[in-house]
Amino acid sequence: MTTITLPRTLLVGGGVLNQLPNVLQELSCHRALLVTDAMMVTLGHAERIQKLLAEHHISCDIFSNTIPEPTSASIQEGVATVSQGNYDALIALGGGSPMDSAKAMAILGKHGGHIRDYAFPVHVTTAGLPLIAIPTTAGTGSEVTRFTIITDEKNDEKLLCIGTAFVPTAALIDYELTLSVPARTTADTGIDAMTHAIEAYVSRKANAYSDSQALAAMHLIGPNLKHAYDNGQNHEARAAMMLGSTLAGIAFSAASVALVHGMSRPIGAFFHVPHGLSNAMLLPTITAYSLSASPLRYADCARALGFASEHDSTDTANQKLLDTLYALNAHLQVPSLAQYGIDKARFMELLPTMAQQAIASGSPNNNPRIPSQPEMEQLYLQLWD
């Protein structure tokens, strides 16, 4: 049996942001809190939403103190705001961090407690406040997933929270919001989306539904990531990446992610590497490690991404997949851990802890090839330079 959980409403296309008042009215919501970050305020997107809702007599306050890679401490101010504000809906505007923050705020603001109370292996099913997700990057897929990730800063551990309660009530997928996204962020979030699609397809929890979404996502992402990176005003590439990201989110929400994500979270928690970038650092190395355990599935990925042709043999397709992933990282200027500026002594010291945390997340168990802790430490070492 496969259980699929999606937002009640999913609007896709350029300009669908303007449908936000209708979505809130359909939910009988009249007092919203917009959860976003300082950049969305600077770009004018937050004020635009506030004015749009005011025209339809919907109150909207702005909470813009979310941070990249949100922590249990960073969401507490937002939780207090929700608890005290008598809001009947939250609107998440931004990349994965504002959406993850808003998901946590919607639950904690209504039910209380600490984010660790809701962490895996707990499955959270009791709904929080209605949440409308509006992504501004083509990457995380958080607008359609049943996950949120919050760092417990007391021990630098990224907490994975799972459950139907974290699925947004509605999502507005408007690619026009991504036209101003910088090249670095375009690259990092794009690789994140590609990783979601690949890992969903090779996951041990893959199913017919997740396969259909993952393959469709790869068909969109593979040919368009470099175009969106090279020219941010390429509307066709931006629209394809935005839809691809959402489909990849649907895919991994139904099939789970695997080893790349499991190993990525500790890199972000300890060294504050953006999530998409740490995925990009890992993807070629982990793909090379995993290929032998699922060659047919990885060959399907190579073809769906457009890296190999339908006429290529399995071995040829997989070699093209690896070669293209390394070449893509070079084109997108993905640094090694050393180039990123991570302290090597600290990295070496933390290797066992990082591997332990990755294993504890559960994601590596979905991988076609499951590493032992010593093997995982060796994989981390391969990323150094």
Side-chain angles (χ1 to χ4, degrees):
M1 182 183 75
T2 303
T3 301
I4 312 300
T5 308
L6 294 171
R8 180 190 304 184
T9 302
L10 192 62
L11 301 180
V12 182
V16 297
L17 176 64
N18 294 318
Q19 297 301 312
L20 178 59
N22 295 336
V23 171
L24 286 166
Q25 288 168 347
E26 288 173 4
L27 296 171
S28 299
C29 296
H30 306 285
R31 179 171 170 76
L33 178 66
L34 178 64
V35 180
T36 189
D37 57 28
M39 181 56 68
M40 291 298 105
V41 174
T42 301
L43 291 173
H45 293 322
E47 184 181 5
R48 174 187 171 190
I49 286 176
Q50 200 172 36
K51 288 181 176 179
L52 175 66
L53 294 180
E55 291 169 1
H56 291 79
H57 310 291
I58 299 173
S59 167
C60 180
D61 294 337
I62 297 173
F63 178 83
S64 61
N65 290 346
T66 65
I67 63 171
E69 313 295 324
T71 67
S72 58
S74 78
I75 64 171
Q76 282 309 308
E77 181 186 354
V79 170
T81 302
V82 172
S83 300
Q84 298 163 11
N86 195 31
Y87 299 105
D88 55 18
L90 300 187
I91 302 166
L93 174 72
S97 296
M99 285 193 283
D100 278 359
S101 298
K103 286 181 175 185
M105 289 164 56
I107 297 295
L108 293 176
K110 183 172 181 178
H111 301 298
H114 185 277
I115 192 63
R116 184 171 282 280
D117 301 331
Y118 301 90
F120 180 82
V122 174
H123 282 256
V124 186
T125 57
T126 305
L129 290 171
L131 173 63
I132 294 85
I134 308 174
T136 60
T137 63
T140 71
S142 186
E143 68 275 7
V144 290
T145 72
R146 55 189 175 92
F147 308 107
T148 192
I149 297 174
I150 306 294
T151 299
D152 183 347
E153 67 281 2
K154 290 182 179 178
N155 56 2
D156 285 326
E157 181 182 1
K158 284 201 171 188
L159 302 175
L160 174 63
C161 303
I162 300 176
T164 54
F166 293 111
V167 179
T169 312
L172 277 58
I173 317 300
D174 189 339
Y175 80 86
E176 292 178 0
L177 293 170
T178 70
L179 294 172
S180 60
V181 173
R184 178 73 267 145
T185 306
T186 297
D188 297 348
T189 54
I191 288 287
D192 192 20
M194 181 184 292
T195 305
H196 290 153
I198 293 173
E199 291 209 300
Y201 193 75
V202 303
S203 168
R204 289 169 178 257
K205 294 181 179 177
N207 52 76
Y209 180 83
S210 62
D211 284 354
S212 69
Q213 306 303 299
L215 290 170
M218 285 186 269
H219 278 294
L220 290 165
I221 295 167
N224 287 290
L225 176 51
K226 285 203 295 188
H227 293 311
Y229 174 79
D230 292 339
N231 175 16
Q233 292 299 308
N234 185 326
H235 284 241
E236 184 177 346
R238 288 293 197 184
M241 288 300 300
M242 196 64 158
L243 179 56
S245 170
T246 297
L247 294 177
I250 293 171
F252 89 80
S253 195
S256 296
V257 288
L259 184 55
V260 173
H261 275 77
M263 293 180 63
S264 177
R265 295 185 196 107
I267 295 175
F270 286 112
F271 301 107
H272 310 294
V273 179
H275 174 68
L277 183 56
S278 57
N279 278 352
M281 292 171 172
L282 282 155
L283 184 58
T285 297
I286 301 307
T287 301
Y289 170 81
S290 306
L291 271 176
S292 62
S294 190
L296 296 178
R297 289 240 147 197
Y298 278 108
D300 287 344
C301 292
R303 298 182 185 105
L305 289 162
F307 299 168
S309 78
E310 295 300 321
H311 304 293
D312 286 325
S313 68
T314 296
D315 288 346
T316 300
N318 283 332
Q319 189 59 53
K320 287 184 176 181
L321 175 62
L322 278 182
D323 292 345
T324 309
L325 289 177
Y326 281 112
L328 183 61
N329 271 11
H331 185 93
L332 301 178
Q333 298 182 302
V334 175
S336 66
L337 292 173
Q339 291 167 338
Y340 190 78
I342 289 172
D343 178 76
K344 188 169 187 178
R346 176 74 171 148
F347 176 73
M348 297 298 291
E349 176 192 351
L350 286 170
L351 272 180
T353 302
M354 291 168 63
Q356 289 162 9
Q357 288 190 2
I359 292 168
S361 74
S363 298
N365 286 332
N366 302 324
N367 207 58
R369 183 180 176 190
I370 302 173
S372 64
Q373 182 175 325
E375 285 179 313
M376 197 178 293
E377 291 176 23
Q378 286 301 311
L379 289 168
Y380 273 127
L381 283 173
Q382 290 182 41
L383 306 181
W384 181 253
D385 50 21

